[in-house]
């Protein structure tokens, strides 16, 4: 069945270092969304990418959608303690409404 | 505008019991989706309701059911609870089901269900 994998599963960085999480789908996606979930919180929508090769920026966050629309990445420049949380990608699913990636948990050393 | 609200926030049940969780979407949102989040399986889609009709369903047994009322509020029910049903149940609302994919999901705080 359709799968959406994220790597790495965990990332522990020093504050100020960069961070990247990768999302890979087994099928082509019409669009991809990214969510952030703080510890003890709920997922919060960050962004949606629709076009092949699309790149969007939100302050220190850069989101990319692959040319084949099967992969995506989220890059955070100069991490801050407020970036702590789990980052999920999500896309439309043929079997259900939506499928979420496994998530990448980011922790930061002050 | 108030966000998505879910009640109760915490619940403890025993195996074999049934449970009903409630979700009130953001005002004006007509689509409500339910998700189960566990450490092992991650975030999994349960079902979506729009205009009181179930539009999509995930791969969960029939013990999991839901409904939506005319004011867009939704409930989900789990019957004959099993230990593996312990999870965070999240509700998310959106304006409408996405036409070319998925509409932005606004999540509630969730209900933490523990089955003993």
């Amino acid at each position: 069945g359709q799968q959406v994998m994220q790597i790495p599963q965990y990332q522990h960085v020093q504050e100020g270092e960069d961070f990247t999480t990768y999302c890979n789908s087994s099928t082509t996606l019409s669009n991809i969304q990214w969510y952030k979930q703080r510890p003890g919180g709920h997922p919060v929508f960050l962004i949606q990418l629709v076009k092949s090769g699309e790149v969007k920026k939100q302050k220190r966050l850069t989101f990319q959608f692959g040319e084949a629309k099967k992969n995506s990445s989220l890059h955070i420049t100069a991490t801050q303690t407020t970036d702590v949380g789990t980052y999920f990608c999500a896309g439309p699913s043929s079997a259900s409404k939506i499928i979420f990636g496994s998530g990448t948990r980011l922790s930061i050393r002050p | 505008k108030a966000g998505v609200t879910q009640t109760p926030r915490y619940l403890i049940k025993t195996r074999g019991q049934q449970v009903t969780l409630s979700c009130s979407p953001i005002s004006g949102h007509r689509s409500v989706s339910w998700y189960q989040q566990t450490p092992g399986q991650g975030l999994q889609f349960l079902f979506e309701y729009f205009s009181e009709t179930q539009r999509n369903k995930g791969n969960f047994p029939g013990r999991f059911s839901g409904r939506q009322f005319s004011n867009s509020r939704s409930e989900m029910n789990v019957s004959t609870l099993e230990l593996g049903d312990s999870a965070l149940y999240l509700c998310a609302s959106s304006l409408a089901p996405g036409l070319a994919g998925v509409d932005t999901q606004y999540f509630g705080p969730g209900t933490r269900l523990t089955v003993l």
Side-chain angles (χ1 to χ4, degrees):
Chain A
Q2 182 185 10
Q3 290 187 329
V4 177
M5 303 298 294
Q6 279 184 255
I7 55 171
Q9 188 175 2
Y10 303 98
Q11 186 82 58
H12 188 58
V13 302
Q14 181 76 42
E15 186 176 14
E17 290 182 337
D18 292 355
F19 159 78
T20 304
T21 173
Y22 299 92
C23 176
N24 297 291
S25 171
S26 58
T27 60
T28 301
L29 301 171
S30 59
N31 66 79
I32 194 161
Q33 298 181 347
W34 284 91
Y35 292 81
K36 175 185 177 181
Q37 184 173 20
R38 288 201 164 100
H42 56 274
V44 173
F45 173 79
L46 293 175
I47 206 161
Q48 176 168 286
L49 305 172
V50 179
K51 299 177 184 176
S52 169
E54 188 171 13
V55 177
K56 285 189 175 180
K57 292 190 176 184
Q58 288 180 349
K59 297 182 180 179
R60 294 177 294 104
L61 278 61
T62 301
F63 303 83
Q64 288 188 313
F65 200 9
E67 294 290 341
K69 302 185 78 172
K70 294 181 71 175
N71 55 71
S72 181
S73 66
L74 158 59
H75 179 83
I76 302 179
T77 303
T79 55
Q80 300 175 358
T81 54
T82 53
D83 296 326
V84 164
T86 301
Y87 293 84
F88 294 95
C89 62
S93 167
S94 55
S96 61
K97 174 187 171 77
I98 185 172
I99 182 168
F100 279 81
S102 44
T104 295
R105 183 182 299 177
L106 172 64
S107 59
I108 296 175
R109 296 188 297 273
Chain B
K1 189 182 277 191
V4 178
T5 58
Q6 291 186 246
T7 57
R9 293 293 310 279
Y10 302 91
L11 207 49
I12 299 175
K13 292 284 188 179
T14 56
R15 280 183 301 173
Q17 287 187 310
Q18 67 93 26
V19 67
T20 299
L21 312 181
S22 182
C23 171
S24 293
I26 291 172
S27 177
H29 285 194
R30 297 170 60 196
S31 174
V32 174
S33 298
W34 288 89
Y35 298 85
Q36 182 195 64
Q37 186 173 34
T38 60
Q41 297 297 319
L43 199 57
Q44 293 187 288
F45 170 77
L46 279 157
F47 29 66
E48 178 196 23
Y49 286 87
F50 177 73
S51 294
E52 302 177 64
T53 302
Q54 188 180 89
R55 282 180 51 92
N56 291 285
K57 190 177 191 305
N59 188 25
F60 279 82
R63 301 185 296 108
F64 292 82
S65 63
R67 59 177 176 168
Q68 185 180 36
F69 303 95
S70 58
N71 61 359
S72 294
R73 190 178 70 86
S74 178
E75 290 181 345
M76 69 162 280
N77 184 277
V78 187
S79 62
T80 319
L81 284 166
E82 301 177 358
L83 295 179
D85 296 334
S86 293
L88 178 67
Y89 289 89
L90 292 158
C91 164
S93 75
S94 57
L95 281 169
L99 294 177
V102 179
D103 203 6
T104 301
Q105 306 277 290
Y106 295 87
F107 284 84
T111 294
R112 174 75 62 184
L113 172 65
T114 301
V115 182
L116 303 176

